[in-house]
């Protein structure tokens, strides 16, 4: 068993099954998401290569090039639209995967304690946390670019890269079938094979050809999906009565000391190693491709059930819980009541 999973299980304690489920969900989503993005790029390149193959072994002429340029323009729009849909789907799925953990913990305790707290309300609080996390992901800007802008730029880079490679093939006097095969090989195996088989082209274009045509999009997806998971963890922590902080666990795939070691390894607030107050949690992921784990820190099941029961008998005896009840639980229902008033 890897160290990070051991750490996850220790942190989660009573709730380790749910913590492991959430982690598995995150890893599965990450893989599925990457497969989907790669397939999308492969399909686009394949469409271009089929068009080229139809021209046979003749050299690419100006007219054909114009058609290809127009097709690539269309593909840029198509790619932008498809990537946006994939990002929407997976950001949502990651947010759900993250909020499920604290939600399951709260529901199990509230069920057992049998107070006036309604289960449907707990579900609703976490559902709204989810929506807020998703909204935050799309509303956040990085270097003055929204996520939608960054998706657009990945689609644009695809068009520019493909156009350059095809134009270079034309300048070289390469025939259509050969160019088609070259593009197919490139999307499948990356830049390395191109460098071997087309050394002149590589000499001319060099760093203008990306190692892997979908690398940039994959990197953006990894970062954004992890950010969505992290944002939803924070949002669910904010509405969870059993939650006292957010913990970060160092991923096992960290060969060198970096910012992750620092964040996951320090106890700045005296809450435990890698644990932060909800409003002091560092921005996560800590770097692109970061695989560090985040989860909420929740009171253990028996203690939390007892606390709920004590509060049920005498709200004043548990000021923290009473504060949550007045300011999170009740305010959220007031919000629904307000909406009902508006629509009546
Ligand atoms: Zn990391």
């Amino acid at each position: 068993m890897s160290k990070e999973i051991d750490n996850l299980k220790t942190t989660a304690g009573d709730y380790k099954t749910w913590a492991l489920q959430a982690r598995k969900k995150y890893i599965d989503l990450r893989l599925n998401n990457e497969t989907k993005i790669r397939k999308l790029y492969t399909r686009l390149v394949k469409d271009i290569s089929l068009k080229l193959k139809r021209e046979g072994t003749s050299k690419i002429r100006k007219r054909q090039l114009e058609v290809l340029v127009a097709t690539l323009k269309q593909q840029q729009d198509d790619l932008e639209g498809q990537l946006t849909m994939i990002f929407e789907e997976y950001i949502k799925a990651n947010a759900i995967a993250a909020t499920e953990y604290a939600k399951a913990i709260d529901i199990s305790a509230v069920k057992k304690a049998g107070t006036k707290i309604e289960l449907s309300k707990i579900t609703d609080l976490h559902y709204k946390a989810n929506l807020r996390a998703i909204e935050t992901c799309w509303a956040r800007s990085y270097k003055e670019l929204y996520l939608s802008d960054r998706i657009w730029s990945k689609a644009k880079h695809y068009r520019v890269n493909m156009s350059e490679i095809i134009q270079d093939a034309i300048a070289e006097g390469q025939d259509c079938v050969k160019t088609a095969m070259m593009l197919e090989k490139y999307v499948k195996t990356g830049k390395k094979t191109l460098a071997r088989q087309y050394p002149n082209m590589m000499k001319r274009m060099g760093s203008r050809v990306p190692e892997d045509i979908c690398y940039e999009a994959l990197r953006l997806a990894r970062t954004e999906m992890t950010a969505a998971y992290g944002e939803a963890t924070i949002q669910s922590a904010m509405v969870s009565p059993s939650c006292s902080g957010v913990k970060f666990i160092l991923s096992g795939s960290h060969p060198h000391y970096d910012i992750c070691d620092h964040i996951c390894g320090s106890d700045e607030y005296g809450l435990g190693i890698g644990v932060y107050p909800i409003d002091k949690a560092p921005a996560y992921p800590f770097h692109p491709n970061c695989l560090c784990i985040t989860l909420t820190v929740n009171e253990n099941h028996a203690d939390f059930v007892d606390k709920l029961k004590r509060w049920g008998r005498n709200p004043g005896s548990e000021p923290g819980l009473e504060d949550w009840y007045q300011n999170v639980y009740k305010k959220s229902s007031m919000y629904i009541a307000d909406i009902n008033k508006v629509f009546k």
Side-chain angles (χ1 to χ4, degrees):
M1 185 67 64
S2 70
K3 214 169 138 196
E4 76 218 51
I5 296 298
D6 278 344
N7 198 337
L8 179 69
K9 282 159 81 176
T10 312
T11 305
D14 296 344
Y15 314 121
K16 65 171 183 243
T17 312
W18 292 329
L20 290 172
Q21 272 169 8
R23 182 63 178 173
K24 185 180 181 308
K25 188 87 210 177
Y26 167 78
I27 298 288
D28 287 350
L29 283 170
R30 186 176 167 110
L31 290 176
N32 291 341
N33 187 15
E34 288 181 13
T35 308
K36 221 168 186 173
I37 290 173
R38 195 168 278 286
K39 268 191 186 152
L40 173 57
Y41 276 84
T42 309
R43 175 175 69 73
L44 294 178
V45 174
K46 183 99 191 161
D47 285 350
I48 292 283
S49 82
L50 283 176
K51 275 210 162 73
L52 277 165
K53 275 183 185 163
R54 256 180 251 139
E55 303 292 336
T57 51
S58 62
K59 301 247 182 301
I60 303 172
R61 287 185 301 271
K62 195 165 170 269
R63 185 193 55 80
Q64 290 155 341
L65 180 66
E66 279 165 5
V67 173
L68 285 178
V69 167
T71 308
L72 282 169
K73 266 206 180 108
Q74 257 170 29
Q75 285 200 336
Q76 179 184 336
D77 293 341
D78 188 15
L79 180 58
E80 187 193 354
Q82 299 276 338
L83 277 178
T84 304
M85 276 183 346
I86 292 174
F87 272 66
E88 278 170 352
E89 179 189 346
Y90 281 84
I91 281 176
K92 190 175 162 196
N94 271 290
I96 293 171
T99 46
E100 280 306 295
Y101 178 66
K103 185 174 106 181
I105 290 170
D106 290 343
I107 284 183
S108 71
V110 165
K111 234 186 214 167
K112 188 104 179 255
T115 59
K116 61 182 168 182
I117 297 169
E118 288 170 37
L119 288 177
S120 62
K121 214 26 220 310
I122 296 290
T123 306
D124 189 57
L125 282 175
H126 286 282
Y127 172 72
K128 286 196 187 114
N130 228 317
L131 294 183
R132 274 194 298 277
I134 295 167
E135 256 169 44
T136 305
C137 289
W138 290 97
R140 192 177 14 227
S141 67
Y142 174 72
K143 292 184 181 166
E144 288 177 24
L145 292 176
Y146 289 113
L147 176 53
S148 53
D149 301 324
R150 278 175 283 149
I151 291 174
W152 175 84
S153 92
K154 303 309 166 217
K156 186 186 154 207
H157 284 177
Y158 163 81
R159 175 176 62 78
V160 171
N161 290 329
M162 289 290 286
S163 312
E164 285 195 343
I165 294 170
I166 293 171
Q167 275 172 12
D168 190 84
I170 294 167
E172 175 89 326
Q174 198 168 281
D175 74 47
C176 295
V177 169
K178 204 176 166 197
T179 306
M181 310 277 269
M182 179 184 83
L183 293 175
E184 282 176 24
K185 197 151 238 171
Y186 173 48
V187 73
K188 257 188 227 143
T189 56
K191 187 177 170 179
K192 280 190 209 92
T193 31
L194 281 195
R196 254 200 319 276
Q197 294 178 347
Y198 308 92
N200 293 337
M201 178 184 178
M202 277 305 129
K203 236 176 258 161
R204 283 189 304 272
M205 298 189 66
S207 61
R208 297 210 317 279
V209 180
E211 291 294 335
D212 176 344
I213 193 85
C214 55
Y215 176 75
E216 272 191 38
L218 288 178
R219 182 174 143 122
L220 179 66
R222 283 181 207 133
T223 307
E224 293 304 317
M225 300 313 152
T226 306
Y229 193 96
E231 184 61 39
T233 301
I234 304 264
Q235 292 288 349
S236 75
M238 283 161 81
V239 299
S240 168
S242 62
C243 179
S244 56
V246 182
K247 171 150 172 126
F248 297 96
I249 298 171
L250 188 70
S251 148
S253 52
H254 266 278
H256 306 293
Y257 186 91
D258 66 6
I259 186 169
C260 304
D261 293 80
H262 177 70
I263 292 173
C264 303
S266 60
D267 184 8
E268 244 176 274
Y269 297 92
L271 297 170
I273 304 278
V275 182
Y276 293 77
I278 300 163
D279 59 342
K280 298 279 191 313
Y284 168 86
F286 309 130
H287 56 79
N289 297 331
C290 175
L291 268 170
C292 292
I293 301 176
T294 179
L295 83 163
T296 55
V297 176
N298 302 72
E299 201 165 351
N300 84 55
H301 183 73
D303 288 352
F304 186 51
V305 170
D306 286 347
K307 196 188 243 183
L308 282 168
K309 284 182 180 164
R310 279 196 303 276
W311 169 81
R313 286 191 296 271
N314 173 17
S317 68
E318 291 297 338
L321 209 46
E322 179 58 12
D323 183 53
W324 168 84
Y325 183 73
Q326 295 297 340
N327 293 310
V328 179
Y329 183 92
K330 270 174 86 175
K331 283 210 174 131
S332 177
S333 65
M334 274 158 63
Y335 173 69
I336 292 173
D338 285 347
I339 286 187
N340 288 340
K341 248 183 260 163
V342 172
F343 288 101
K344 249 171 209 170

